[in-house]
């Protein structure tokens, strides 16, 4: 069988033309999505080498060790990639105060879209994170 | 208090210069990340209007109703956005066979990076999805 990007055991992360790969971070305990950011090759290598999530700050144009100042580092419990190897998913344990968002919220996704009658007039609601319903053992 | 993009209840999704917004899809029951794709404004509006996830297929250059052919539609249970409103997160219920990946896997993230001695030589392992450890009620 021919080995493809979907079946290979080689990690060949595919970066965008800008040299970035999207990274999803979830809370390893609850499964909630905590944040989303981009990594460049250096950030991904640092993440793997240190076990602490690093990103590329597009706004500041530099390597970003998340939580370096606040102490809310993201400890990598598991790092995954998808079928096309153009996204990574980190299941993390948030260190320090357990806060992943710069607003002070635990997750950046603290608002949900309220079902609108009209998509153009959708509004947001501050709401607790969705709960996984079936714990796996 | 001045209303900001982080505090507003107005849904003002921020699309990239290419007109796209990243979309994370998780399994509403388990919390597992199922897939990641991009939406344009039409796809986001269709998703909100129909309750079924739509994306923009960058490879095919057209609106993509995920699962239209396979029957594995993604029913939106909850749609969230992040602090900056430049990402969306869908907690979904997979219809049909419960398969979200084109490879036939339930999730696109069926491989994890094995802790390497050297980041450049990381390898992948086909492994069950991480389990949220604390069910929320």
């Amino acid at each position: 069988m021919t080995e493809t990007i979907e079946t290979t055991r080689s990690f060949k992360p595919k970066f965008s033309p800008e040299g970035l790969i999207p990274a999803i971070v979830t809370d390893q305990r609850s499964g909630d999505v905590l944040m989303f950011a981009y990594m460049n090759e250096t950030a991904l290598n640092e993440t793997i080498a240190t076990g602490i999530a690093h990103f590329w700050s597009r706004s500041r144009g530099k390597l970003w060790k998340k939580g370096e100042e606040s102490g809310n580092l993201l400890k990598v419990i598991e790092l995954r990639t998808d079928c096309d190897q153009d996204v990574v998913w980190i299941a993390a344990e948030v260190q320090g105060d357990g806060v992943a968002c710069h607003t002070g919220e635990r997750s950046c996704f603290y608002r949900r879209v309220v079902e609108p009658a009209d998509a153009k007039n959708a509004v947001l609601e501050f709401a607790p994170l969705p709960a996984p319903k079936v714990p796996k053992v």
Side-chain angles (χ1 to χ4, degrees), chain A:
Chain A
M1 201 175 88
T2 310
E3 189 178 78
T4 66
I5 195 70
E6 288 118 345
T7 60
T8 184
R9 287 170 197 267
S10 300
F11 185 38
K12 296 176 179 173
K14 189 178 168 192
F15 295 91
S16 72
E18 296 76 34
L20 301 176
I21 191 166
I24 301 161
V25 181
T26 62
D27 182 319
Q28 189 253 346
R29 291 177 82 241
S30 67
D32 289 326
V33 181
L34 296 176
M35 62 169 288
F36 172 86
Y38 294 88
M39 294 178 172
N40 63 1
E41 192 172 2
T42 302
L44 181 57
N45 284 338
E46 278 296 299
T47 298
I48 291 173
T50 65
I52 300 294
H54 290 67
F55 305 95
W56 176 254
S57 169
R58 293 182 300 169
S59 55
R60 287 174 289 159
K62 65 173 195 176
L63 186 69
W64 171 34
K65 184 178 179 182
K66 176 87 176 72
E68 188 168 29
E69 288 175 24
S70 65
N72 298 327
L73 297 166
L74 298 171
K75 183 180 171 189
V76 178
I77 303 300
E78 193 162 278
L79 175 64
R80 288 181 172 255
T81 192
D82 74 336
C83 45
D84 300 327
Q85 298 207 33
D86 58 3
V87 187
V88 298
W89 165 20
I90 290 173
E93 192 179 273
V94 189
Q95 309 294 289
D97 301 325
V99 165
C101 184
H102 77 284
T103 61
E105 297 274 352
R106 201 167 66 75
S107 158
C108 295
F109 294 85
Y110 48 83
R111 288 171 297 186
R112 70 183 192 90
V113 177
V114 179
E115 282 177 43
D118 167 359
K120 303 247 172 199
N121 293 311
V123 294
L124 299 175
E125 176 180 70
F126 289 72
L129 295 162
K133 297 299 183 296
V134 180
K136 290 178 297 181
V137 184

